[in-house]
Amino acid sequence: MNYSSTLQNKAAQSIALASLLLIGAIGIVQANSVTKEGAPAWAAYDTNNDSSVSLEEATTNKMPTQVFKELDTNHDGKLSSDEFKKESRPMK
């Protein structure tokens, strides 16, 4: 094996390793945006990062309007993180 082939192999190995690391990082980010129940987590709903979830943000993430209204216990038109957490509680 000559020097040029060795460099090409190292470059290919480096590219393969970087690709695998990137794929792994993307998987971690996506996993963090879903709760154990399979529903999107708070960060997925609070898309504008204002520490609340509006009706528009909720419905964009497929939360039914009726569920949003039931969770919005103070009727201010947005969900706080405490109100949002009620969604992940088991229904009785």
Side-chain angles (χ1 to χ4, degrees):
M1 188 181 280
N2 63 31
Y3 182 72
S4 178
S5 295
T6 302
L7 285 179
Q8 288 175 345
N9 285 339
K10 288 192 182 276
Q13 289 173 350
S14 295
I15 291 170
L17 178 60
S19 298
L20 289 173
L21 290 172
L22 180 60
I23 291 168
I26 291 170
I28 290 169
V29 169
Q30 288 179 340
N32 285 336
S33 69
V34 176
T35 64
K36 291 179 185 172
E37 293 81 22
W42 173 259
Y45 281 98
D46 185 19
T47 56
N48 64 1
N49 299 314
D50 67 348
S51 299
S52 65
V53 174
S54 68
L55 177 59
E56 180 181 348
E57 288 171 310
T59 56
T60 298
N61 281 288
K62 311 227 184 312
M63 180 187 290
T65 302
Q66 185 60 34
V67 171
F68 179 89
K69 289 179 180 179
E70 289 172 10
L71 294 174
D72 184 18
T73 55
N74 65 358
H75 308 290
D76 65 351
K78 56 189 175 185
L79 299 180
S80 66
S81 61
D82 288 338
E83 289 172 321
F84 181 85
K85 288 175 189 173
K86 293 176 188 175
E87 178 188 27
S88 62
R89 291 184 189 157
M91 295 289 185
K92 293 184 179 179

mmCIF file of all heavy atoms in Angstrom, residues 33-46 52-55 57-73 78-92:
data_model
loop_
_atom_site.group_PDB
_atom_site.id
_atom_site.type_symbol
_atom_site.label_atom_id
_atom_site.label_comp_id
_atom_site.label_asym_id
_atom_site.label_seq_id
_atom_site.Cartn_x
_atom_site.Cartn_y
_atom_site.Cartn_z
ATOM 1 N N SER A 33 -37.102 15.307 21.999
ATOM 2 C CA SER A 33 -38.299 16.074 21.689
ATOM 3 C C SER A 33 -39.571 15.237 21.785
ATOM 4 O O SER A 33 -40.648 15.707 21.473
ATOM 5 C CB SER A 33 -38.196 16.704 20.304
ATOM 6 O OG SER A 33 -38.241 15.704 19.320
ATOM 7 N N VAL A 34 -39.446 14.000 22.270
ATOM 8 C CA VAL A 34 -40.605 13.132 22.425
ATOM 9 C C VAL A 34 -40.603 12.553 23.825
ATOM 10 O O VAL A 34 -39.582 12.129 24.336
ATOM 11 C CB VAL A 34 -40.573 11.993 21.375
ATOM 12 C CG1 VAL A 34 -41.715 11.022 21.594
ATOM 13 C CG2 VAL A 34 -40.602 12.549 19.974
ATOM 14 N N THR A 35 -41.761 12.539 24.465
ATOM 15 C CA THR A 35 -41.872 11.982 25.811
ATOM 16 C C THR A 35 -41.927 10.467 25.745
ATOM 17 O O THR A 35 -42.048 9.878 24.677
ATOM 18 C CB THR A 35 -43.155 12.484 26.506
ATOM 19 O OG1 THR A 35 -44.273 11.995 25.784
ATOM 20 C CG2 THR A 35 -43.186 13.992 26.605
ATOM 21 N N LYS A 36 -41.878 9.822 26.882
ATOM 22 C CA LYS A 36 -41.934 8.368 26.940
ATOM 23 C C LYS A 36 -43.243 7.842 26.384
ATOM 24 O O LYS A 36 -43.305 6.743 25.862
ATOM 25 C CB LYS A 36 -41.749 7.894 28.387
ATOM 26 C CG LYS A 36 -40.357 8.129 28.906
ATOM 27 C CD LYS A 36 -40.228 7.678 30.334
ATOM 28 C CE LYS A 36 -38.844 8.037 30.845
ATOM 29 N NZ LYS A 36 -38.719 7.803 32.278
ATOM 30 N N GLU A 37 -44.311 8.611 26.493
ATOM 31 C CA GLU A 37 -45.607 8.183 25.994
ATOM 32 C C GLU A 37 -45.718 8.325 24.481
ATOM 33 O O GLU A 37 -46.710 7.958 23.895
ATOM 34 C CB GLU A 37 -46.734 9.003 26.660
ATOM 35 C CG GLU A 37 -46.880 8.747 28.140
ATOM 36 C CD GLU A 37 -45.871 9.519 28.975
ATOM 37 O OE1 GLU A 37 -45.333 10.538 28.504
ATOM 38 O OE2 GLU A 37 -45.604 9.085 30.093
ATOM 39 N N GLY A 38 -44.733 8.905 23.836
ATOM 40 C CA GLY A 38 -44.759 9.087 22.398
ATOM 41 C C GLY A 38 -45.318 10.423 21.957
ATOM 42 O O GLY A 38 -45.338 10.724 20.778
ATOM 43 N N ALA A 39 -45.773 11.239 22.898
ATOM 44 C CA ALA A 39 -46.293 12.565 22.561
ATOM 45 C C ALA A 39 -45.131 13.557 22.517
ATOM 46 O O ALA A 39 -44.162 13.404 23.246
ATOM 47 C CB ALA A 39 -47.308 13.007 23.609
ATOM 48 N N PRO A 40 -45.226 14.569 21.667
ATOM 49 C CA PRO A 40 -44.160 15.576 21.640
ATOM 50 C C PRO A 40 -43.990 16.237 23.002
ATOM 51 O O PRO A 40 -44.953 16.468 23.724
ATOM 52 C CB PRO A 40 -44.648 16.587 20.601
ATOM 53 C CG PRO A 40 -45.575 15.807 19.734
ATOM 54 C CD PRO A 40 -46.234 14.807 20.653
ATOM 55 N N ALA A 41 -42.765 16.533 23.351
ATOM 56 C CA ALA A 41 -42.446 17.160 24.626
ATOM 57 C C ALA A 41 -42.673 18.671 24.551
ATOM 58 O O ALA A 41 -42.929 19.235 23.489
ATOM 59 C CB ALA A 41 -41.006 16.861 25.000
ATOM 60 N N TRP A 42 -42.557 19.315 25.705
ATOM 61 C CA TRP A 42 -42.768 20.755 25.837
ATOM 62 C C TRP A 42 -42.008 21.535 24.760
ATOM 63 O O TRP A 42 -42.570 22.415 24.107
ATOM 64 C CB TRP A 42 -42.332 21.197 27.233
ATOM 65 C CG TRP A 42 -42.344 22.670 27.434
ATOM 66 C CD1 TRP A 42 -41.262 23.513 27.402
ATOM 67 C CD2 TRP A 42 -43.468 23.500 27.690
ATOM 68 N NE1 TRP A 42 -41.655 24.807 27.622
ATOM 69 C CE2 TRP A 42 -43.017 24.820 27.808
ATOM 70 C CE3 TRP A 42 -44.828 23.247 27.832
ATOM 71 C CZ2 TRP A 42 -43.862 25.880 28.061
ATOM 72 C CZ3 TRP A 42 -45.661 24.304 28.087
ATOM 73 C CH2 TRP A 42 -45.191 25.601 28.198
ATOM 74 N N ALA A 43 -40.750 21.213 24.545
ATOM 75 C CA ALA A 43 -39.922 21.968 23.593
ATOM 76 C C ALA A 43 -40.489 21.888 22.174
ATOM 77 O O ALA A 43 -40.361 22.842 21.405
ATOM 78 C CB ALA A 43 -38.493 21.458 23.613
ATOM 79 N N ALA A 44 -41.111 20.777 21.840
ATOM 80 C CA ALA A 44 -41.694 20.642 20.501
ATOM 81 C C ALA A 44 -42.918 21.533 20.335
ATOM 82 O O ALA A 44 -43.198 22.014 19.243
ATOM 83 C CB ALA A 44 -42.069 19.187 20.248
ATOM 84 N N TYR A 45 -43.654 21.761 21.413
ATOM 85 C CA TYR A 45 -44.843 22.618 21.353
ATOM 86 C C TYR A 45 -44.486 24.101 21.458
ATOM 87 O O TYR A 45 -45.062 24.928 20.765
ATOM 88 C CB TYR A 45 -45.824 22.261 22.473
ATOM 89 C CG TYR A 45 -46.652 21.041 22.180
ATOM 90 C CD1 TYR A 45 -46.305 19.799 22.696
ATOM 91 C CD2 TYR A 45 -47.788 21.129 21.399
ATOM 92 C CE1 TYR A 45 -47.070 18.677 22.430
ATOM 93 C CE2 TYR A 45 -48.569 20.014 21.130
ATOM 94 C CZ TYR A 45 -48.201 18.792 21.647
ATOM 95 O OH TYR A 45 -48.963 17.690 21.381
ATOM 96 N N ASP A 46 -43.564 24.441 22.357
ATOM 97 C CA ASP A 46 -43.198 25.850 22.565
ATOM 98 C C ASP A 46 -42.195 26.275 21.498
ATOM 99 O O ASP A 46 -41.025 26.511 21.758
ATOM 100 C CB ASP A 46 -42.619 26.047 23.969
ATOM 101 C CG ASP A 46 -42.328 27.503 24.285
ATOM 102 O OD1 ASP A 46 -42.875 28.392 23.605
ATOM 103 O OD2 ASP A 46 -41.545 27.751 25.222
ATOM 104 N N SER A 52 -44.468 29.474 27.011
ATOM 105 C CA SER A 52 -45.882 29.128 27.018
ATOM 106 C C SER A 52 -46.225 28.553 25.646
ATOM 107 O O SER A 52 -45.503 28.752 24.675
ATOM 108 C CB SER A 52 -46.757 30.334 27.329
ATOM 109 O OG SER A 52 -46.649 31.300 26.316
ATOM 110 N N VAL A 53 -47.340 27.835 25.600
ATOM 111 C CA VAL A 53 -47.794 27.231 24.349
ATOM 112 C C VAL A 53 -49.129 27.865 23.974
ATOM 113 O O VAL A 53 -50.098 27.785 24.730
ATOM 114 C CB VAL A 53 -47.942 25.708 24.487
ATOM 115 C CG1 VAL A 53 -48.544 25.103 23.226
ATOM 116 C CG2 VAL A 53 -46.600 25.064 24.799
ATOM 117 N N SER A 54 -49.155 28.513 22.828
ATOM 118 C CA SER A 54 -50.393 29.130 22.343
ATOM 119 C C SER A 54 -51.259 28.067 21.673
ATOM 120 O O SER A 54 -50.800 26.954 21.376
ATOM 121 C CB SER A 54 -50.066 30.229 21.330
ATOM 122 O OG SER A 54 -49.521 29.641 20.153
ATOM 123 N N LEU A 55 -52.508 28.425 21.411
ATOM 124 C CA LEU A 55 -53.405 27.514 20.708
ATOM 125 C C LEU A 55 -52.831 27.167 19.340
ATOM 126 O O LEU A 55 -52.870 26.008 18.914
ATOM 127 C CB LEU A 55 -54.801 28.129 20.577
ATOM 128 C CG LEU A 55 -55.825 27.301 19.789
ATOM 129 C CD1 LEU A 55 -56.033 25.936 20.431
ATOM 130 C CD2 LEU A 55 -57.133 28.062 19.678
ATOM 131 N N GLU A 57 -49.633 27.102 18.405
ATOM 132 C CA GLU A 57 -48.520 26.160 18.565
ATOM 133 C C GLU A 57 -49.044 24.751 18.877
ATOM 134 O O GLU A 57 -48.524 23.763 18.355
ATOM 135 C CB GLU A 57 -47.590 26.611 19.699
ATOM 136 C CG GLU A 57 -46.761 27.833 19.367
ATOM 137 C CD GLU A 57 -46.018 28.372 20.573
ATOM 138 O OE1 GLU A 57 -46.644 28.571 21.638
ATOM 139 O OE2 GLU A 57 -44.802 28.604 20.450
ATOM 140 N N ALA A 58 -50.055 24.673 19.718
ATOM 141 C CA ALA A 58 -50.602 23.374 20.109
ATOM 142 C C ALA A 58 -51.238 22.655 18.926
ATOM 143 O O ALA A 58 -50.974 21.475 18.692
ATOM 144 C CB ALA A 58 -51.614 23.553 21.236
ATOM 145 N N THR A 59 -52.071 23.368 18.175
ATOM 146 C CA THR A 59 -52.759 22.719 17.058
ATOM 147 C C THR A 59 -51.796 22.380 15.921
ATOM 148 O O THR A 59 -52.011 21.407 15.210
ATOM 149 C CB THR A 59 -53.931 23.578 16.547
ATOM 150 O OG1 THR A 59 -53.460 24.876 16.190
ATOM 151 C CG2 THR A 59 -55.019 23.686 17.597
ATOM 152 N N THR A 60 -50.741 23.166 15.773
ATOM 153 C CA THR A 60 -49.719 22.843 14.777
ATOM 154 C C THR A 60 -49.080 21.498 15.093
ATOM 155 O O THR A 60 -48.709 20.751 14.197
ATOM 156 C CB THR A 60 -48.634 23.945 14.719
ATOM 157 O OG1 THR A 60 -49.259 25.163 14.324
ATOM 158 C CG2 THR A 60 -47.526 23.605 13.754
ATOM 159 N N ASN A 61 -48.977 21.180 16.371
ATOM 160 C CA ASN A 61 -48.407 19.901 16.808
ATOM 161 C C ASN A 61 -49.487 18.859 17.059
ATOM 162 O O ASN A 61 -49.293 17.920 17.825
ATOM 163 C CB ASN A 61 -47.562 20.101 18.060
ATOM 164 C CG ASN A 61 -46.204 20.648 17.721
ATOM 165 O OD1 ASN A 61 -45.376 19.937 17.184
ATOM 166 N ND2 ASN A 61 -45.974 21.918 18.007
ATOM 167 N N LYS A 62 -50.650 19.052 16.439
ATOM 168 C CA LYS A 62 -51.737 18.070 16.440
ATOM 169 C C LYS A 62 -52.427 17.863 17.788
ATOM 170 O O LYS A 62 -53.025 16.825 18.036
ATOM 171 C CB LYS A 62 -51.247 16.728 15.888
ATOM 172 C CG LYS A 62 -50.502 16.849 14.574
ATOM 173 C CD LYS A 62 -50.948 15.859 13.569
ATOM 174 C CE LYS A 62 -50.176 15.873 12.282
ATOM 175 N NZ LYS A 62 -49.931 17.073 11.622
ATOM 176 N N MET A 63 -52.350 18.855 18.674
ATOM 177 C CA MET A 63 -53.131 18.787 19.908
ATOM 178 C C MET A 63 -54.543 19.261 19.576
ATOM 179 O O MET A 63 -54.709 20.364 19.048
ATOM 180 C CB MET A 63 -52.549 19.678 21.000
ATOM 181 C CG MET A 63 -53.341 19.627 22.314
ATOM 182 S SD MET A 63 -52.789 20.830 23.558
ATOM 183 C CE MET A 63 -51.204 20.172 24.016
ATOM 184 N N PRO A 64 -55.544 18.455 19.871
ATOM 185 C CA PRO A 64 -56.916 18.889 19.595
ATOM 186 C C PRO A 64 -57.267 20.166 20.375
ATOM 187 O O PRO A 64 -56.845 20.342 21.521
ATOM 188 C CB PRO A 64 -57.765 17.710 20.076
ATOM 189 C CG PRO A 64 -56.838 16.539 20.049
ATOM 190 C CD PRO A 64 -55.489 17.096 20.386
ATOM 191 N N THR A 65 -58.024 21.042 19.752
ATOM 192 C CA THR A 65 -58.427 22.307 20.381
ATOM 193 C C THR A 65 -59.121 22.060 21.717
ATOM 194 O O THR A 65 -58.880 22.773 22.690
ATOM 195 C CB THR A 65 -59.342 23.105 19.440
ATOM 196 O OG1 THR A 65 -58.640 23.338 18.221
ATOM 197 C CG2 THR A 65 -59.745 24.426 20.045
ATOM 198 N N GLN A 66 -59.962 21.042 21.780
ATOM 199 C CA GLN A 66 -60.683 20.746 23.013
ATOM 200 C C GLN A 66 -59.710 20.380 24.139
ATOM 201 O O GLN A 66 -59.895 20.799 25.277
ATOM 202 C CB GLN A 66 -61.697 19.615 22.792
ATOM 203 C CG GLN A 66 -62.570 19.332 23.992
ATOM 204 C CD GLN A 66 -63.395 20.547 24.421
ATOM 205 O OE1 GLN A 66 -63.829 21.351 23.601
ATOM 206 N NE2 GLN A 66 -63.588 20.693 25.714
ATOM 207 N N VAL A 67 -58.672 19.627 23.824
ATOM 208 C CA VAL A 67 -57.664 19.262 24.835
ATOM 209 C C VAL A 67 -56.957 20.524 25.320
ATOM 210 O O VAL A 67 -56.764 20.720 26.525
ATOM 211 C CB VAL A 67 -56.657 18.241 24.272
ATOM 212 C CG1 VAL A 67 -55.489 18.015 25.231
ATOM 213 C CG2 VAL A 67 -57.355 16.932 23.956
ATOM 214 N N PHE A 68 -56.604 21.414 24.374
ATOM 215 C CA PHE A 68 -55.956 22.670 24.754
ATOM 216 C C PHE A 68 -56.839 23.447 25.720
ATOM 217 O O PHE A 68 -56.374 23.925 26.757
ATOM 218 C CB PHE A 68 -55.666 23.521 23.508
ATOM 219 C CG PHE A 68 -55.029 24.838 23.822
ATOM 220 C CD1 PHE A 68 -53.656 24.958 23.893
ATOM 221 C CD2 PHE A 68 -55.802 25.973 24.055
ATOM 222 C CE1 PHE A 68 -53.055 26.178 24.196
ATOM 223 C CE2 PHE A 68 -55.226 27.189 24.355
ATOM 224 C CZ PHE A 68 -53.844 27.292 24.432
ATOM 225 N N LYS A 69 -58.120 23.574 25.395
ATOM 226 C CA LYS A 69 -59.043 24.339 26.238
ATOM 227 C C LYS A 69 -59.186 23.713 27.624
ATOM 228 O O LYS A 69 -59.284 24.428 28.625
ATOM 229 C CB LYS A 69 -60.406 24.459 25.562
ATOM 230 C CG LYS A 69 -60.374 25.387 24.361
ATOM 231 C CD LYS A 69 -61.726 25.470 23.689
ATOM 232 C CE LYS A 69 -61.681 26.414 22.494
ATOM 233 N NZ LYS A 69 -62.980 26.498 21.812
ATOM 234 N N GLU A 70 -59.198 22.384 27.689
ATOM 235 C CA GLU A 70 -59.296 21.709 28.983
ATOM 236 C C GLU A 70 -58.032 21.906 29.823
ATOM 237 O O GLU A 70 -58.111 22.045 31.045
ATOM 238 C CB GLU A 70 -59.548 20.217 28.776
ATOM 239 C CG GLU A 70 -60.941 19.929 28.255
ATOM 240 C CD GLU A 70 -61.139 18.475 27.871
ATOM 241 O OE1 GLU A 70 -60.264 17.630 28.186
ATOM 242 O OE2 GLU A 70 -62.168 18.177 27.243
ATOM 243 N N LEU A 71 -56.874 21.935 29.166
ATOM 244 C CA LEU A 71 -55.612 22.121 29.890
ATOM 245 C C LEU A 71 -55.407 23.565 30.334
ATOM 246 O O LEU A 71 -54.739 23.817 31.333
ATOM 247 C CB LEU A 71 -54.433 21.675 29.023
ATOM 248 C CG LEU A 71 -54.361 20.180 28.707
ATOM 249 C CD1 LEU A 71 -53.234 19.911 27.734
ATOM 250 C CD2 LEU A 71 -54.180 19.376 29.977
ATOM 251 N N ASP A 72 -55.977 24.516 29.595
ATOM 252 C CA ASP A 72 -55.830 25.944 29.901
ATOM 253 C C ASP A 72 -56.758 26.313 31.061
ATOM 254 O O ASP A 72 -57.769 26.977 30.891
ATOM 255 C CB ASP A 72 -56.137 26.777 28.659
ATOM 256 C CG ASP A 72 -55.907 28.262 28.869
ATOM 257 O OD1 ASP A 72 -55.201 28.633 29.836
ATOM 258 O OD2 ASP A 72 -56.436 29.046 28.060
ATOM 259 N N THR A 73 -56.382 25.877 32.254
ATOM 260 C CA THR A 73 -57.264 26.022 33.423
ATOM 261 C C THR A 73 -57.477 27.464 33.858
ATOM 262 O O THR A 73 -58.508 27.786 34.442
ATOM 263 C CB THR A 73 -56.737 25.195 34.605
ATOM 264 O OG1 THR A 73 -55.385 25.574 34.879
ATOM 265 C CG2 THR A 73 -56.797 23.706 34.297
ATOM 266 N N LYS A 78 -53.197 30.387 26.701
ATOM 267 C CA LYS A 78 -51.888 29.761 26.524
ATOM 268 C C LYS A 78 -51.674 28.767 27.659
ATOM 269 O O LYS A 78 -52.298 28.860 28.718
ATOM 270 C CB LYS A 78 -50.770 30.796 26.481
ATOM 271 C CG LYS A 78 -50.717 31.705 27.679
ATOM 272 C CD LYS A 78 -49.731 32.836 27.472
ATOM 273 C CE LYS A 78 -49.810 33.784 28.660
ATOM 274 N NZ LYS A 78 -48.990 34.955 28.481
ATOM 275 N N LEU A 79 -50.810 27.808 27.394
ATOM 276 C CA LEU A 79 -50.510 26.795 28.398
ATOM 277 C C LEU A 79 -49.167 27.075 29.049
ATOM 278 O O LEU A 79 -48.176 27.297 28.361
ATOM 279 C CB LEU A 79 -50.458 25.403 27.768
ATOM 280 C CG LEU A 79 -51.725 24.891 27.089
ATOM 281 C CD1 LEU A 79 -51.486 23.508 26.514
ATOM 282 C CD2 LEU A 79 -52.894 24.894 28.050
ATOM 283 N N SER A 80 -49.168 27.077 30.365
ATOM 284 C CA SER A 80 -47.901 27.138 31.103
ATOM 285 C C SER A 80 -47.341 25.720 31.136
ATOM 286 O O SER A 80 -48.028 24.758 30.780
ATOM 287 C CB SER A 80 -48.153 27.627 32.530
ATOM 288 O OG SER A 80 -48.912 26.662 33.240
ATOM 289 N N SER A 81 -46.110 25.574 31.588
ATOM 290 C CA SER A 81 -45.538 24.227 31.659
ATOM 291 C C SER A 81 -46.315 23.368 32.647
ATOM 292 O O SER A 81 -46.487 22.171 32.425
ATOM 293 C CB SER A 81 -44.056 24.283 32.017
ATOM 294 O OG SER A 81 -43.872 24.875 33.281
ATOM 295 N N ASP A 82 -46.822 23.954 33.729
ATOM 296 C CA ASP A 82 -47.617 23.186 34.696
ATOM 297 C C ASP A 82 -48.932 22.698 34.078
ATOM 298 O O ASP A 82 -49.332 21.555 34.281
ATOM 299 C CB ASP A 82 -47.908 24.015 35.950
ATOM 300 C CG ASP A 82 -46.679 24.219 36.820
ATOM 301 O OD1 ASP A 82 -45.729 23.415 36.712
ATOM 302 O OD2 ASP A 82 -46.673 25.182 37.607
ATOM 303 N N GLU A 83 -49.589 23.579 33.331
ATOM 304 C CA GLU A 83 -50.828 23.172 32.674
ATOM 305 C C GLU A 83 -50.534 22.082 31.633
ATOM 306 O O GLU A 83 -51.273 21.122 31.503
ATOM 307 C CB GLU A 83 -51.494 24.371 31.992
ATOM 308 C CG GLU A 83 -52.096 25.374 32.964
ATOM 309 C CD GLU A 83 -52.565 26.642 32.270
ATOM 310 O OE1 GLU A 83 -51.888 27.127 31.334
ATOM 311 O OE2 GLU A 83 -53.626 27.160 32.680
ATOM 312 N N PHE A 84 -49.442 22.249 30.913
ATOM 313 C CA PHE A 84 -49.072 21.303 29.869
ATOM 314 C C PHE A 84 -48.791 19.917 30.443
ATOM 315 O O PHE A 84 -49.140 18.909 29.844
ATOM 316 C CB PHE A 84 -47.835 21.817 29.122
ATOM 317 C CG PHE A 84 -47.394 20.924 27.999
ATOM 318 C CD1 PHE A 84 -47.964 21.040 26.742
ATOM 319 C CD2 PHE A 84 -46.401 19.975 28.189
ATOM 320 C CE1 PHE A 84 -47.553 20.227 25.696
ATOM 321 C CE2 PHE A 84 -45.984 19.154 27.150
ATOM 322 C CZ PHE A 84 -46.571 19.290 25.904
ATOM 323 N N LYS A 85 -48.171 19.866 31.620
ATOM 324 C CA LYS A 85 -47.817 18.582 32.233
ATOM 325 C C LYS A 85 -49.050 17.740 32.515
ATOM 326 O O LYS A 85 -48.972 16.521 32.557
ATOM 327 C CB LYS A 85 -47.030 18.797 33.521
ATOM 328 C CG LYS A 85 -45.631 19.290 33.285
ATOM 329 C CD LYS A 85 -44.936 19.600 34.592
ATOM 330 C CE LYS A 85 -43.618 20.291 34.334
ATOM 331 N NZ LYS A 85 -42.991 20.743 35.576
ATOM 332 N N LYS A 86 -50.195 18.363 32.684
ATOM 333 C CA LYS A 86 -51.435 17.622 32.944
ATOM 334 C C LYS A 86 -51.775 16.702 31.782
ATOM 335 O O LYS A 86 -52.403 15.675 31.961
ATOM 336 C CB LYS A 86 -52.592 18.584 33.191
ATOM 337 C CG LYS A 86 -52.439 19.378 34.468
ATOM 338 C CD LYS A 86 -53.566 20.366 34.597
ATOM 339 C CE LYS A 86 -53.303 21.299 35.766
ATOM 340 N NZ LYS A 86 -54.307 22.342 35.842
ATOM 341 N N GLU A 87 -51.338 17.067 30.569
ATOM 342 C CA GLU A 87 -51.634 16.264 29.383
ATOM 343 C C GLU A 87 -50.987 14.890 29.464
ATOM 344 O O GLU A 87 -51.539 13.909 28.992
ATOM 345 C CB GLU A 87 -51.141 16.974 28.111
ATOM 346 C CG GLU A 87 -51.386 16.159 26.868
ATOM 347 C CD GLU A 87 -50.737 16.743 25.650
ATOM 348 O OE1 GLU A 87 -49.726 17.440 25.757
ATOM 349 O OE2 GLU A 87 -51.262 16.472 24.571
ATOM 350 N N SER A 88 -49.821 14.804 30.089
ATOM 351 C CA SER A 88 -49.104 13.534 30.126
ATOM 352 C C SER A 88 -49.518 12.644 31.282
ATOM 353 O O SER A 88 -49.065 11.532 31.407
ATOM 354 C CB SER A 88 -47.598 13.783 30.166
ATOM 355 O OG SER A 88 -47.264 14.491 31.351
ATOM 356 N N ARG A 89 -50.414 13.148 32.155
ATOM 357 C CA ARG A 89 -50.904 12.320 33.256
ATOM 358 C C ARG A 89 -51.900 11.299 32.729
ATOM 359 O O ARG A 89 -52.659 11.593 31.805
ATOM 360 C CB ARG A 89 -51.598 13.187 34.315
ATOM 361 C CG ARG A 89 -50.645 14.076 35.054
ATOM 362 C CD ARG A 89 -51.376 14.812 36.134
ATOM 363 N NE ARG A 89 -50.499 15.818 36.691
ATOM 364 C CZ ARG A 89 -50.915 16.902 37.319
ATOM 365 N NH1 ARG A 89 -52.202 17.125 37.471
ATOM 366 N NH2 ARG A 89 -50.058 17.764 37.802
ATOM 367 N N PRO A 90 -51.924 10.134 33.311
ATOM 368 C CA PRO A 90 -52.898 9.136 32.864
ATOM 369 C C PRO A 90 -54.329 9.620 33.111
ATOM 370 O O PRO A 90 -54.615 10.208 34.135
ATOM 371 C CB PRO A 90 -52.603 7.918 33.740
ATOM 372 C CG PRO A 90 -51.272 8.159 34.357
ATOM 373 C CD PRO A 90 -51.048 9.641 34.351
ATOM 374 N N MET A 91 -55.191 9.389 32.150
ATOM 375 C CA MET A 91 -56.595 9.773 32.271
ATOM 376 C C MET A 91 -57.319 8.748 33.140
ATOM 377 O O MET A 91 -57.064 7.568 33.067
ATOM 378 C CB MET A 91 -57.265 9.833 30.890
ATOM 379 C CG MET A 91 -56.702 10.905 30.023
ATOM 380 S SD MET A 91 -57.211 12.500 30.648
ATOM 381 C CE MET A 91 -56.558 13.553 29.394
ATOM 382 N N LYS A 92 -58.234 9.220 33.999
ATOM 383 C CA LYS A 92 -59.009 8.319 34.848
ATOM 384 C C LYS A 92 -60.395 8.140 34.288
ATOM 385 O O LYS A 92 -60.938 8.925 33.617
ATOM 386 C CB LYS A 92 -59.082 8.891 36.280
ATOM 387 C CG LYS A 92 -57.739 8.890 36.938
ATOM 388 C CD LYS A 92 -57.857 9.361 38.366
ATOM 389 C CE LYS A 92 -56.488 9.325 39.038
ATOM 390 N NZ LYS A 92 -56.550 9.780 40.399
#
